[in-house]
Amino acid sequence: MTGVQVVPVEPVALQRLAPLLTPERVERLEAHVAEARRLLATRSVWNVNSTARGGGVAEMLHTLVAYAAGTGVDVRWLVVGGESDFFAVTKRLHNRLHGVPGDAGALDAAARATYDATLARQRDQVLELVRPGDLVLLHDPQTAGLAQPLRDRGALVAWRCHVGLDEHDEWTREAWGFLRPLVEPAHACIFSRESFAPDWVDRRWLRVIPPSLDPFSPKNTDLDDREVARLVHREGLVVEGAPLPVDGKVVLQVSRWDRLKDMAGVLEAFADHLDELPSDTHLVLAGPEASGVADDPEAAEVLAECRERWRSLPAAARERSHLLSVPMDDLEANARTVNALQRWSTVVVQKSLAEGFGLTVTEPMWKARPVVASAVGGIRDQVEDGVSGVLLRDPRDGAGLARALSSLLGDAGRREAMGRAAHLRVRDHYLADRHLIQYVELFAQLLGEA
Ligand code: UDP
């Protein structure tokens, strides 16, 4: 699919958040909203990414753009399209920024030509919409190539990178070599952690802004037990395994079908250490239906690998593990199903091998679920080990994962205390007020400079 699309977003009043915040936080937010209205009275703010559905960036834009629009500022969301050759290059960049090759392809002149040609076809459409003096947030490698033309147009451009690795290696260096000339024209760069930024990023214009979640979105809103049961046990979700159990304990991982999320590793750890877990424990691995995320070309392959792995497990492990494919045609239904699965679980796992920031960690934390997650990237900031969750020091350590699960599954008191701390951690650090305030501060600095 090529061509720029405008994603329609219904404004939502920011006051909706107020009951969750202290009076001081409400006051601070109101002051920044007033500042935003003043700064942006004659300007628009544009977000540009490459998918309106699936993955953390789309998840966040749906709610942040809605809240920002609810304050009366003019904020818009554009999605650039591409053919499979473009997304093969950008997925390669995504993988290499996380320290793995992804595929055997190169990030050479041919890859650059593919990348440039796709954005060149859409550049004029974007430039027609954006006016001089507007602010533009370009998200991830897929849109970095728009920084120069937008700057030439007179816009103020921030490139926001949602991925990264704490320690740079040959793969990250190769990806950053590709991206550097595309990113350098941006006025500012935003990362989820400072360590993700390559050393050539101008530190004066580097901002660290972690993601946030919306407690009132279909993904996170309260659901009663009957609704949870109805959504979890609805027909057609399970693609491998028996229907989901009605009783017992459930360990869940929800992720896109991306090798770096290591769904297969979770399955293997579960099967290898089945006897160490309480005998009523089931594993549920849930991801979006494989064709559902436009900019993720590897999903079908990764799901197929997981299904293959599942089929090769001993019968005892197959009886207690279930692979789910959650339909993506209705985004709200998808979100409510994920919400229900997270609420229904006893423990939520995120065994990522690399992670910029995992919304799939923050979402169950908000729901007061205890999480066991790899100590990689942004997850290290999200979870305080032993307090608001358990961090797995080595993400490849299946035995370690099983030990952490076994200990939590056997201790309801600890699960409850950890869930409570997790909820507070999200309330204090990962709601939209903090996120929007950081944007307003950056806009003020960019406009001051201009
Ligand atoms: N997600 C979803 N349906 C699925 C699988 C994932 O809605 O079947 C959502 C998940 O709830 C989260 C987002 O996709 O909101 C994933 O964001 P995260 O930051 O964890 O990782 P990313 O996919 O951006 O790498």
PDB file of all heavy atoms in Angstrom, residues 215-231:
ATOM      1  N   PRO A 215      -5.407   4.692  30.610  1.00  0.00           N
ATOM      2  CA  PRO A 215      -6.245   3.802  31.420  1.00  0.00           C
ATOM      3  C   PRO A 215      -7.672   3.665  30.898  1.00  0.00           C
ATOM      4  O   PRO A 215      -8.376   2.739  31.282  1.00  0.00           O
ATOM      5  CB  PRO A 215      -6.268   4.480  32.790  1.00  0.00           C
ATOM      6  CG  PRO A 215      -5.111   5.400  32.788  1.00  0.00           C
ATOM      7  CD  PRO A 215      -4.894   5.825  31.377  1.00  0.00           C
ATOM      8  N   PHE A 216      -8.105   4.591  30.037  1.00  0.00           N
ATOM      9  CA  PHE A 216      -9.507   4.574  29.602  1.00  0.00           C
ATOM     10  C   PHE A 216      -9.694   4.021  28.191  1.00  0.00           C
ATOM     11  O   PHE A 216     -10.803   3.969  27.683  1.00  0.00           O
ATOM     12  CB  PHE A 216     -10.085   5.991  29.687  1.00  0.00           C
ATOM     13  CG  PHE A 216     -10.002   6.537  31.081  1.00  0.00           C
ATOM     14  CD1 PHE A 216      -9.013   7.449  31.430  1.00  0.00           C
ATOM     15  CD2 PHE A 216     -10.891   6.114  32.055  1.00  0.00           C
ATOM     16  CE1 PHE A 216      -8.920   7.932  32.729  1.00  0.00           C
ATOM     17  CE2 PHE A 216     -10.806   6.594  33.349  1.00  0.00           C
ATOM     18  CZ  PHE A 216      -9.813   7.504  33.688  1.00  0.00           C
ATOM     19  N   SER A 217      -8.599   3.636  27.553  1.00  0.00           N
ATOM     20  CA  SER A 217      -8.729   3.091  26.200  1.00  0.00           C
ATOM     21  C   SER A 217      -9.295   1.676  26.292  1.00  0.00           C
ATOM     22  O   SER A 217      -9.237   1.032  27.345  1.00  0.00           O
ATOM     23  CB  SER A 217      -7.359   3.067  25.523  1.00  0.00           C
ATOM     24  OG  SER A 217      -6.573   2.054  26.108  1.00  0.00           O
ATOM     25  N   PRO A 218      -9.829   1.147  25.182  1.00  0.00           N
ATOM     26  CA  PRO A 218     -10.368  -0.225  25.207  1.00  0.00           C
ATOM     27  C   PRO A 218      -9.320  -1.243  25.658  1.00  0.00           C
ATOM     28  O   PRO A 218      -9.667  -2.281  26.216  1.00  0.00           O
ATOM     29  CB  PRO A 218     -10.769  -0.470  23.750  1.00  0.00           C
ATOM     30  CG  PRO A 218     -10.931   0.883  23.144  1.00  0.00           C
ATOM     31  CD  PRO A 218     -10.021   1.812  23.879  1.00  0.00           C
ATOM     32  N   LYS A 219      -8.046  -0.943  25.473  1.00  0.00           N
ATOM     33  CA  LYS A 219      -6.976  -1.852  25.881  1.00  0.00           C
ATOM     34  C   LYS A 219      -6.852  -1.934  27.401  1.00  0.00           C
ATOM     35  O   LYS A 219      -6.392  -2.932  27.944  1.00  0.00           O
ATOM     36  CB  LYS A 219      -5.651  -1.356  25.257  1.00  0.00           C
ATOM     37  CG  LYS A 219      -4.390  -2.108  25.557  1.00  0.00           C
ATOM     38  CD  LYS A 219      -4.327  -3.493  24.961  1.00  0.00           C
ATOM     39  CE  LYS A 219      -4.473  -3.568  23.474  1.00  0.00           C
ATOM     40  NZ  LYS A 219      -3.362  -3.004  22.722  1.00  0.00           N
ATOM     41  N   ASN A 220      -7.215  -0.858  28.091  1.00  0.00           N
ATOM     42  CA  ASN A 220      -6.918  -0.800  29.532  1.00  0.00           C
ATOM     43  C   ASN A 220      -8.112  -0.537  30.435  1.00  0.00           C
ATOM     44  O   ASN A 220      -7.988  -0.613  31.657  1.00  0.00           O
ATOM     45  CB  ASN A 220      -5.857   0.285  29.781  1.00  0.00           C
ATOM     46  CG  ASN A 220      -4.571  -0.017  29.038  1.00  0.00           C
ATOM     47  OD1 ASN A 220      -4.015  -1.114  29.170  1.00  0.00           O
ATOM     48  ND2 ASN A 220      -4.120   0.910  28.210  1.00  0.00           N
ATOM     49  N   THR A 221      -9.241  -0.228  29.850  1.00  0.00           N
ATOM     50  CA  THR A 221     -10.400   0.125  30.671  1.00  0.00           C
ATOM     51  C   THR A 221     -10.828  -1.060  31.553  1.00  0.00           C
ATOM     52  O   THR A 221     -10.573  -2.222  31.212  1.00  0.00           O
ATOM     53  CB  THR A 221     -11.565   0.584  29.761  1.00  0.00           C
ATOM     54  OG1 THR A 221     -12.612   1.060  30.581  1.00  0.00           O
ATOM     55  CG2 THR A 221     -12.081  -0.561  28.899  1.00  0.00           C
ATOM     56  N   ASP A 222     -11.467  -0.756  32.673  1.00  0.00           N
ATOM     57  CA  ASP A 222     -11.936  -1.831  33.564  1.00  0.00           C
ATOM     58  C   ASP A 222     -12.922  -2.740  32.832  1.00  0.00           C
ATOM     59  O   ASP A 222     -13.741  -2.253  32.047  1.00  0.00           O
ATOM     60  CB  ASP A 222     -12.668  -1.225  34.778  1.00  0.00           C
ATOM     61  CG  ASP A 222     -11.668  -0.735  35.813  1.00  0.00           C
ATOM     62  OD1 ASP A 222     -10.509  -1.182  35.763  1.00  0.00           O
ATOM     63  OD2 ASP A 222     -12.057   0.100  36.645  1.00  0.00           O
ATOM     64  N   LEU A 223     -12.836  -4.022  33.108  1.00  0.00           N
ATOM     65  CA  LEU A 223     -13.806  -4.988  32.566  1.00  0.00           C
ATOM     66  C   LEU A 223     -14.268  -5.831  33.739  1.00  0.00           C
ATOM     67  O   LEU A 223     -13.452  -6.198  34.593  1.00  0.00           O
ATOM     68  CB  LEU A 223     -13.142  -5.907  31.534  1.00  0.00           C
ATOM     69  CG  LEU A 223     -12.537  -5.289  30.274  1.00  0.00           C
ATOM     70  CD1 LEU A 223     -11.794  -6.365  29.472  1.00  0.00           C
ATOM     71  CD2 LEU A 223     -13.618  -4.645  29.411  1.00  0.00           C
ATOM     72  N   ASP A 224     -15.574  -6.151  33.790  1.00  0.00           N
ATOM     73  CA  ASP A 224     -15.991  -7.027  34.888  1.00  0.00           C
ATOM     74  C   ASP A 224     -15.696  -8.484  34.535  1.00  0.00           C
ATOM     75  O   ASP A 224     -15.395  -8.817  33.388  1.00  0.00           O
ATOM     76  CB  ASP A 224     -17.454  -6.775  35.285  1.00  0.00           C
ATOM     77  CG  ASP A 224     -18.420  -7.103  34.172  1.00  0.00           C
ATOM     78  OD1 ASP A 224     -18.180  -8.089  33.467  1.00  0.00           O
ATOM     79  OD2 ASP A 224     -19.411  -6.355  34.000  1.00  0.00           O
ATOM     80  N   ASP A 225     -15.778  -9.344  35.546  1.00  0.00           N
ATOM     81  CA  ASP A 225     -15.349 -10.738  35.363  1.00  0.00           C
ATOM     82  C   ASP A 225     -16.124 -11.448  34.262  1.00  0.00           C
ATOM     83  O   ASP A 225     -15.578 -12.271  33.532  1.00  0.00           O
ATOM     84  CB  ASP A 225     -15.508 -11.518  36.679  1.00  0.00           C
ATOM     85  CG  ASP A 225     -14.527 -11.023  37.730  1.00  0.00           C
ATOM     86  OD1 ASP A 225     -13.605 -10.266  37.356  1.00  0.00           O
ATOM     87  OD2 ASP A 225     -14.690 -11.383  38.918  1.00  0.00           O
ATOM     88  N   ARG A 226     -17.417 -11.114  34.151  1.00  0.00           N
ATOM     89  CA  ARG A 226     -18.227 -11.787  33.121  1.00  0.00           C
ATOM     90  C   ARG A 226     -17.759 -11.425  31.725  1.00  0.00           C
ATOM     91  O   ARG A 226     -17.671 -12.260  30.830  1.00  0.00           O
ATOM     92  CB  ARG A 226     -19.706 -11.399  33.285  1.00  0.00           C
ATOM     93  CG  ARG A 226     -20.419 -12.375  34.190  1.00  0.00           C
ATOM     94  CD  ARG A 226     -21.916 -12.169  34.227  1.00  0.00           C
ATOM     95  NE  ARG A 226     -22.518 -11.883  32.943  1.00  0.00           N
ATOM     96  CZ  ARG A 226     -23.618 -11.156  32.792  1.00  0.00           C
ATOM     97  NH1 ARG A 226     -24.208 -10.631  33.842  1.00  0.00           N
ATOM     98  NH2 ARG A 226     -24.153 -10.953  31.605  1.00  0.00           N
ATOM     99  N   GLU A 227     -17.453 -10.129  31.557  1.00  0.00           N
ATOM    100  CA  GLU A 227     -16.973  -9.642  30.256  1.00  0.00           C
ATOM    101  C   GLU A 227     -15.605 -10.260  29.937  1.00  0.00           C
ATOM    102  O   GLU A 227     -15.338 -10.664  28.801  1.00  0.00           O
ATOM    103  CB  GLU A 227     -16.899  -8.105  30.312  1.00  0.00           C
ATOM    104  CG  GLU A 227     -16.434  -7.426  29.046  1.00  0.00           C
ATOM    105  CD  GLU A 227     -17.461  -7.472  27.914  1.00  0.00           C
ATOM    106  OE1 GLU A 227     -18.462  -8.209  28.047  1.00  0.00           O
ATOM    107  OE2 GLU A 227     -17.227  -6.800  26.895  1.00  0.00           O
ATOM    108  N   VAL A 228     -14.742 -10.342  30.960  1.00  0.00           N
ATOM    109  CA  VAL A 228     -13.425 -10.969  30.765  1.00  0.00           C
ATOM    110  C   VAL A 228     -13.621 -12.401  30.280  1.00  0.00           C
ATOM    111  O   VAL A 228     -13.045 -12.820  29.277  1.00  0.00           O
ATOM    112  CB  VAL A 228     -12.595 -10.936  32.065  1.00  0.00           C
ATOM    113  CG1 VAL A 228     -11.385 -11.854  31.973  1.00  0.00           C
ATOM    114  CG2 VAL A 228     -12.148  -9.504  32.376  1.00  0.00           C
ATOM    115  N   ALA A 229     -14.489 -13.143  30.965  1.00  0.00           N
ATOM    116  CA  ALA A 229     -14.698 -14.552  30.600  1.00  0.00           C
ATOM    117  C   ALA A 229     -15.277 -14.663  29.189  1.00  0.00           C
ATOM    118  O   ALA A 229     -14.854 -15.495  28.391  1.00  0.00           O
ATOM    119  CB  ALA A 229     -15.632 -15.209  31.614  1.00  0.00           C
ATOM    120  N   ARG A 230     -16.215 -13.779  28.865  1.00  0.00           N
ATOM    121  CA  ARG A 230     -16.843 -13.830  27.536  1.00  0.00           C
ATOM    122  C   ARG A 230     -15.787 -13.592  26.444  1.00  0.00           C
ATOM    123  O   ARG A 230     -15.716 -14.301  25.445  1.00  0.00           O
ATOM    124  CB  ARG A 230     -17.934 -12.752  27.453  1.00  0.00           C
ATOM    125  CG  ARG A 230     -18.819 -12.855  26.221  1.00  0.00           C
ATOM    126  CD  ARG A 230     -19.783 -11.680  26.127  1.00  0.00           C
ATOM    127  NE  ARG A 230     -19.131 -10.404  25.838  1.00  0.00           N
ATOM    128  CZ  ARG A 230     -18.687 -10.043  24.646  1.00  0.00           C
ATOM    129  NH1 ARG A 230     -18.795 -10.844  23.622  1.00  0.00           N
ATOM    130  NH2 ARG A 230     -18.098  -8.860  24.473  1.00  0.00           N
ATOM    131  N   LEU A 231     -14.927 -12.584  26.667  1.00  0.00           N
ATOM    132  CA  LEU A 231     -13.930 -12.241  25.646  1.00  0.00           C
ATOM    133  C   LEU A 231     -12.847 -13.310  25.515  1.00  0.00           C
ATOM    134  O   LEU A 231     -12.418 -13.646  24.419  1.00  0.00           O
ATOM    135  CB  LEU A 231     -13.296 -10.883  25.986  1.00  0.00           C
ATOM    136  CG  LEU A 231     -14.190  -9.666  25.732  1.00  0.00           C
ATOM    137  CD1 LEU A 231     -13.674  -8.450  26.493  1.00  0.00           C
ATOM    138  CD2 LEU A 231     -14.242  -9.362  24.227  1.00  0.00           C
TER     139      LEU A 231
END
